[in-house]
Amino acid sequence: MIANKIQVQSKEDGALLLECSWQLCQSPPATGKSWQSIDILFEGLSSLDSAIGGLDENIVLVDHEQPKRVLAPAALGSAKAFKFLLQCLGAANKPPGRRCLVKLIIPQQQGQIVRADVIPLRMRDSQYVEETVSFAEPLQSYNPVSIAALRNNLEAIFSAATAGLMLRSNAEDLGNAIEALSLAVESELENRLALDWISSEPVRRRTLVLVEGSRAHPENGGTGPGIYLAAAALGIDMVVLDNQGHWLEGPKYAHWRKAFIPIRLTDPPEADFAKRIVESVKSYGAPVDGIVTFCDSYVVQVAQAAQELGLQMGPPDALRVATDKYLTSVFAGHQAYRASSPEEAFDIASKNQLPYPLIIKPCTGWSSEGVFRVDSIDNLVTAARSIDTSRHGSEFVIEKYCEGPEVDANFVLLDGELLFFEACDDFPKTADSNGLHSGSLNTFVELSSVYPSALPSREIDVLRDGFLETLLKLGLRNGVMHLEGRVEYSSVTYRTQDGVLDLHANEAGPGGPEPVAWLIEINPRPLGMTGSHIIESTYGIDYWGLAMLIAAGDEARARSLSRPFKHGAQYTCVMVFIPADYPSSCQGIFDSDDICAELRARRPDLAKQISRCACLVKRGQKVPHPSSGVNSFLAYFNVFSRAGRTEALKLADEVRQEVRFSFL
C-alpha cells in the first residue's frame, strides 16, 4: 500500500488547515456483481482547530507520481464528491492521528442509475456505516471502469464512484480491524444492493401531475419532503395542482416542482372538480405521463379526470368503494349499516338487535378519528354525537367489533402482480377491551406498531391472499395500497409476559375455527409518511417513490425498487406514538420544547436505538384531547433492535416512559 499526502488549505490566505495521509487498501473483488468497491484509509497528520467541510477550502494533493496540485470540485467528478472528501479528511483529524476508512462504490455495469439516492436509501441504519453520500445525479449514466486503470489516482477513483461510505469504528486506531470492517460492509452491500440499481434499459424523465400538494408546510412536519425529494431523485418532474397561496407556489420551494397550477380544492370536493382538473392539466400545455393524488377526498375525481385525459389510474367506481368505509365493509361481506344521526343509529341497533360490542366510524374518516368501540345502546348514541362532522361528514358505519389482532398490510401492485407485501402488528389501541393500557383515552388512538409482524406465517398468508383477492376483485391492480384489518379467530392474542406485552398463543389451544382476514379499511395510497419511513429503513423500500413511478407508468424502475433486502427486514422496529393524554383540568396548551431532541440529549443510549423521530407540536400550541376523536399525537419514535423483538419492545416501552412533556 502506497501512502500519499493530502492537505486542506484556506482559500483566503493559503493557511494549512489539516494534513492527512491516504492509501488504497486491498478491496474485495467484484465477481458477479454490478459494482466494485474501493477502500481508502485516511489518517490525520496535523490539524488546526478549524471547521472544514464546505467548498471554501483548497484540497492539495502531494503524491509520489505527479506534481503537487490543487483540486477543483470538477476534478473529483462533482461538488458532492468534493464535499464528501472534505468530510472524510475532517473525520480523520478528530483528533489528529485518527484513522478513517472509506468505501467508494464504482458501477461495473453500463446503464443509468434508477434513483440518484438509491445507495443512501438502502444503507440507512447500517451498523457499520457512519454516513453514506450519493454523488449521482438523477438518471446519470455509467460505463464500466477498469479498477486496475484507476491505480493510485484519487481524482479518477472519486470521478468513477457513484457513492461514498464513511465506515464506523469505535477504535481510534483501526489497526488489524480494517479488513474485517471492510468485509462486513461488503456483506452488507451485497444484502442491501440486491436489486437492479443500474438500469441497462434507457430511462427517461417523467412528468407527473399531483393533485393536492401536501397541506402541511415542510417546517410543520408535512409530507412534502418525502414526496418531492423522492421525485427529484427519481427524475420525475412534478406539476402540482392546489389552492392559490399554497406554500409550493412561492419561490422558496419552487425547485421542488416544475409547475404550480392554482385550482380550487374543497373538502368534500365540488361537483365539477373532475372537469376542472382536466382543464388545469390541459392548460399546462405539455405532455404528462400520469396523474396521482395522495388525498383520499379527491381520489375518485382524479380518477375520473385521468379517464378523460387518457392516463392510467384505478377505476373511479372501485376507488369510490375503497374510500367509503361503509361501501368497503359491504364489499368485504360484513353486516354493516350506514347512519347519519344518533337517532338513526339508535333505530338501526334496536330494530336489528345488533350484538355488542360494535364499532362506529365515519364513512370518510382518517387516522382513527371518530372511531369508537361501543358496548351498549347508550354508548352508541354518545359516540355518534362525538364524531366531528365538520371534519368527516355526517355519515358513519355501524358494524361488529372484531377482537382479533390488528394489522397493517401494505401491497405494491403492478398490473395485478404483487411486487412487495409486508404486514406489521398494530398493538392494542386505547379502546380495545382487554384493559392492557391505562389512561383516560377511550377512542382508537394508535400506541405502537411493530415491524415485521409476529403473527404465525399461515395467518400472514391468510391476510395477504384474502386482502389481495379483495383488491383485485374490486379492480385495484396498480399502486401502493395500505390496508388495515384484523385476524378473526387468530391462534394468538396479546398478553403481558415477563413485563412485556406481545403476541402469545391462545391459552385455549388449537381446535377452534380457521383464521379469517377481517378487512377494516382500504387506503389506495401509501400509509402516512412516518409509517412509510419505517418501511424504508426496515426493508429498503420507499412507498412514496414507488407510488409515483407506478402512476407515471415507469414499470421497469418500479419493479427494481420494489425489491427488499436480500435477507429481509434488517431489524425489528417499533413505531412509538405519544398521544396527548393530559388531565381534563388542563387547557390543552403544550408547554414543552422539542420532546424528541430533549430525550435524545438526555438518553444517548436510547438515541442509538432510534432510527427516526419527530415532535409534531410546538410550545404554546393548543392540542385537542384524544377523547374528542381528533388525532392528537405529540411525537413519534421509530425504535429498533437487532437483537430481537423482545428487546425492541422493551426499548420502546423505555422510550415511552422517558418522554417528558407538560401542558397548561
Side-chain angles (χ1 to χ4, degrees):
M1 295 189 293
I2 302 174
N4 302 287
K5 289 184 180 180
I6 187 168
Q7 298 173 341
V8 178
Q9 299 175 352
S10 169
K11 280 186 177 180
E12 186 176 328
D13 57 10
L16 179 66
L17 300 178
L18 62 81
E19 185 175 44
C20 288
S21 68
W22 68 272
Q23 59 187 14
L24 299 182
C25 303
Q26 185 66 42
S27 298
T31 307
K33 297 183 297 190
S34 61
W35 48 272
Q36 165 78 65
S37 68
I38 289 185
D39 293 349
I40 304 178
L41 182 66
F42 294 97
E43 183 172 0
L45 300 177
S46 63
S47 174
L48 297 179
D49 187 19
S50 301
I52 68 166
L55 300 180
D56 295 327
E57 290 86 24
N58 285 327
I59 294 182
V60 180
L61 288 182
V62 185
D63 60 34
H64 301 287
E65 299 181 358
Q66 300 184 49
K68 182 176 179 179
R69 61 202 183 278
V70 176
L71 294 183
L76 297 181
S78 69
K80 289 183 281 190
F82 185 91
K83 187 173 182 180
F84 178 72
L85 177 57
L86 283 172
Q87 288 179 269
C88 297
L89 300 177
N93 278 274
K94 294 180 181 178
R98 183 178 184 268
R99 290 173 139 193
C100 176
L101 184 61
V102 172
K103 190 177 284 284
L104 298 179
I105 309 300
I106 299 178
Q108 294 295 288
Q109 176 180 319
Q110 185 174 9
Q112 293 170 267
I113 195 164
V114 297
R115 177 170 171 154
D117 61 351
V118 63
I119 295 180
L121 173 73
R122 302 284 285 199
M123 294 305 295
R124 176 174 286 277
D125 291 343
S126 170
Q127 60 186 317
Y128 304 112
V129 179
E130 187 72 34
E131 184 171 4
T132 306
V133 175
S134 175
F135 310 151
E137 295 299 322
L139 310 183
Q140 184 168 335
S141 296
Y142 292 93
N143 291 305
V145 175
S146 169
I147 300 301
L150 298 177
R151 296 184 298 171
N152 210 37
N153 187 323
L154 193 69
E155 302 105 300
I157 292 170
F158 267 83
S159 295
T162 187
L165 283 65
M166 189 185 303
L167 308 194
R168 178 177 287 128
S169 174
N170 294 325
E172 293 300 324
D173 188 340
L174 289 170
N176 297 325
I178 291 175
E179 184 176 358
L181 179 58
S182 174
L183 290 174
V185 175
E186 202 72 14
S187 178
E188 280 273 274
L189 286 165
E190 290 180 10
N191 172 41
R192 293 167 181 260
L193 297 185
L195 76 164
D196 297 325
W197 59 277
I198 297 290
S199 173
S200 57
E201 299 296 325
V203 181
R204 65 175 177 85
R205 293 193 74 85
R206 304 269 171 162
T207 300
L208 182 64
V209 177
L210 175 63
V211 180
E212 204 268 346
S214 179
R215 297 176 186 178
H217 194 281
E219 295 175 5
N220 296 325
T223 58
I227 295 173
Y228 299 108
L229 297 182
L234 289 164
I236 297 177
D237 295 325
M238 303 296 286
V239 176
V240 180
L241 276 58
D242 210 315
N243 284 309
Q244 191 168 11
H246 187 273
W247 56 267
L248 264 173
E249 189 175 12
K252 184 173 182 180
Y253 293 98
H255 61 289
W256 279 9
R257 43 79 176 173
K258 187 174 185 181
F260 181 89
I261 301 175
I263 188 174
R264 178 174 166 80
L265 299 185
T266 60
D267 197 354
E270 296 169 332
D272 65 341
F273 187 43
K275 178 182 177 182
R276 289 191 285 111
I277 293 172
V278 173
E279 292 170 351
S280 296
V281 174
K282 288 181 177 179
S283 74
Y284 173 59
V288 300
D289 296 287
I291 187 168
V292 72
T293 183
F294 297 125
C295 179
D296 295 347
S297 299
Y298 307 136
V299 69
V300 173
Q301 289 75 20
V302 174
Q304 291 170 340
Q307 284 187 337
E308 187 168 342
L309 292 164
L311 300 173
Q312 173 186 287
M313 199 170 165
D317 288 344
L319 292 165
R320 182 176 288 105
V321 172
T323 53
D324 184 305
K325 292 178 175 56
Y326 169 72
L327 297 178
T328 300
S329 291
V330 171
F331 189 86
H334 301 173
Q335 187 178 32
Y337 303 86
R338 178 162 50 193
S340 56
S341 69
E343 294 75 21
E344 190 176 358
F346 180 92
D347 289 343
I348 289 171
S350 301
K351 290 177 181 178
N352 294 281
Q353 297 183 332
L354 299 184
Y356 295 93
L358 296 170
I359 286 290
I360 74 164
K361 55 187 176 182
C363 291
T364 56
W366 61 83
S367 299
S368 297
E369 290 191 5
V371 182
F372 297 89
R373 170 200 161 109
V374 297
D375 296 281
S376 68
I377 193 70
D378 291 338
N379 290 155
L380 177 63
V381 172
T382 301
R385 288 174 176 156
S386 299
I387 294 174
D388 188 339
T389 57
S390 67
R391 290 169 65 84
H392 304 297
S394 60
E395 292 190 333
F396 54 91
V397 189
I398 306 171
E399 65 180 357
K400 89 168 192 178
Y401 168 75
C402 178
E403 294 188 357
E406 185 169 347
V407 294
D408 282 357
N410 298 300
F411 297 77
V412 179
L413 297 175
L414 185 61
D415 196 23
E417 179 185 353
L418 181 60
L419 300 185
F420 179 70
F421 166 80
E422 52 79 25
C424 82
D425 296 320
D426 271 351
F427 268 43
K429 296 182 171 65
T430 52
D432 284 312
S433 61
N434 45 22
L436 295 170
H437 295 284
S438 60
S440 62
L441 312 180
N442 55 18
T443 54
F444 282 84
V445 176
E446 302 272 2
L447 293 171
S448 296
S449 296
V450 184
Y451 302 73
S453 172
L455 287 171
S457 58
R458 73 186 186 102
E459 296 187 14
I460 292 178
D461 292 345
V462 166
L463 284 168
R464 182 195 63 226
D465 297 345
F467 289 170
L468 178 59
E469 181 181 3
T470 298
L471 289 171
L472 298 181
K473 183 180 176 182
L474 190 55
L476 298 178
R477 300 174 55 82
N478 292 282
V480 179
M481 305 290 166
H482 169 56
L483 278 65
E484 299 180 19
R486 290 181 182 252
V487 182
E488 192 171 21
Y489 311 124
S490 174
S491 63
V492 294
T493 189
Y494 283 97
R495 190 168 62 248
T496 299
Q497 187 170 304
D498 298 326
V500 179
L501 174 66
D502 201 1
L503 289 168
H504 297 278
N506 283 327
E507 294 178 347
E514 288 297 307
V516 175
W518 177 272
L519 180 62
I520 294 176
E521 64 181 53
I522 299 172
N523 300 281
R525 53 162 174 77
L527 72 167
M529 191 62 71
T530 55
S532 293
H533 282 162
I534 210 170
I535 303 300
E536 181 183 304
S537 63
T538 304
Y539 296 96
I541 301 290
D542 173 22
Y543 282 149
W544 294 85
L546 287 173
M548 289 186 285
L549 284 173
I550 293 170
D554 197 329
E555 297 185 2
R557 287 199 289 166
R559 289 183 183 278
S560 296
L561 291 166
S562 293
R563 293 189 62 181
F565 302 140
K566 182 191 299 184
H567 303 310
Q570 70 161 313
Y571 47 41
T572 300
C573 200
V574 183
M575 183 182 292
V576 179
F577 300 96
I578 309 298
D581 188 16
Y582 54 81
S584 58
S585 58
C586 288
Q587 303 175 51
I589 305 297
F590 187 67
D591 192 37
S592 298
D593 293 319
D594 187 324
I595 59 179
C596 297
E598 190 279 335
L599 183 142
R600 291 170 68 99
R602 178 166 45 84
R603 291 292 305 272
D605 56 323
L606 289 179
K608 294 177 182 178
Q609 305 300 136
I610 297 172
S611 173
R612 273 177 166 146
C613 61
C615 184
L616 307 176
V617 294
K618 296 180 179 180
R619 182 185 290 275
Q621 183 175 333
K622 173 75 173 178
V623 182
H625 195 279
S627 61
S628 67
V630 176
N631 182 348
S632 52
F633 299 122
L634 302 180
Y636 77 92
F637 297 84
N638 291 347
V639 183
F640 69 86
S641 170
R642 302 184 200 279
R645 184 172 169 107
T646 298
E647 182 182 84
L649 291 170
K650 288 180 177 178
L651 288 167
D653 284 344
E654 191 169 1
V655 166
R656 188 184 299 281
Q657 293 164 12
E658 286 292 318
V659 172
R660 303 283 185 265
F661 61 86
S662 60
F663 277 88
L664 297 176

